[in-house]
Amino acid sequence: AEVFQRITDSIRRLLGVQTTTLYRLEPESGDLRVMAASGAPAFGAGMVFPRGGGAVGLAVELRGPVVSENALTDPRLTFTPEARARVEESRFWAVLAVPLVVKERVIGGLGIRDQEGRVFTAEEVRLAQAFADQAAPALENARLYEESEARRRSAEALAAVGRDLAQLLDFDVVGQRITDSIRQLLGLGYSRLYRLEPESGDLAAVAV
């Protein structure tokens, strides 16, 4: 998160623009998720946008820069009603978007916005792409780290439950360990374990 924030802050200061936003491409859906934003962004961290939407979505599909003096009137760009309303409210309608590419695979995009009428020069497009080229490996490394940490936590939780099942005879205690472990593993606020009653077919709560 710190690396992404530094990237967005740096490109915003370098180009003298109002806002910059870094997106990660969700490989399964093709949607774009905001990872970091700088300035006065229309979209905050964690927001998700449908595949192909906006300038960044188009840049990802084209695998190249997209420049527009007014994103709202550009026929190439599409927005959800919510996204269009946020862009209208921000008043930053000039946009430059570039894809983030690692080993010929697009993994995200960088969106840069400024006041309507701002014309981005070829040199500014080159600088934005250079920053995106630096951000892409960082974004990919973060994704790989998250996946590796998730696998590690899963393995540790499964090992702990396995030990409990082998050592404990109290079903209620084992059930409580299982619900606690799955809640922590998935970052949930709540989990419940049920036991199937063989005679009635009902589910009886064992642990919460």
Side-chain angles (χ1 to χ4, degrees), residues 73-186:
T73 60
D74 194 323
R76 301 173 298 166
L77 307 184
T78 60
F79 297 93
T80 64
E82 179 188 4
R84 175 171 286 274
R86 285 176 176 267
V87 172
E88 288 177 346
E89 184 180 356
S90 74
R91 308 296 296 180
F92 306 142
W93 300 341
V95 62
L96 164 59
V98 292
L100 275 64
V101 183
V102 172
K103 297 180 180 178
E104 300 185 354
R105 183 168 57 91
V106 178
I107 64 167
L110 180 65
I112 299 163
R113 295 185 178 276
D114 208 351
Q115 302 286 352
E116 180 186 8
R118 166 72 182 263
V119 178
F120 291 100
T121 67
E123 177 62 16
E124 288 174 328
V125 174
R126 188 192 67 78
L127 282 172
Q129 188 63 69
F131 263 79
D133 291 342
Q134 294 297 317
L139 189 63
E140 180 69 356
N141 288 339
R143 182 187 67 81
L144 294 173
Y145 177 75
E146 285 180 353
E147 290 181 355
S148 128
E149 281 296 290
R151 287 194 296 269
R152 182 187 62 79
R153 290 193 298 269
S154 297
E156 289 180 352
L158 289 171
V161 170
R163 287 194 299 271
D164 290 343
L165 291 173
Q167 297 174 5
L168 299 173
L169 298 178
D170 189 329
F171 188 78
D172 292 336
V173 174
V174 173
Q176 192 64 54
R177 297 277 182 90
I178 290 173
T179 54
D180 290 344
S181 295
I182 195 68
R183 185 178 60 81
Q184 294 171 6
L185 178 64
L186 299 182

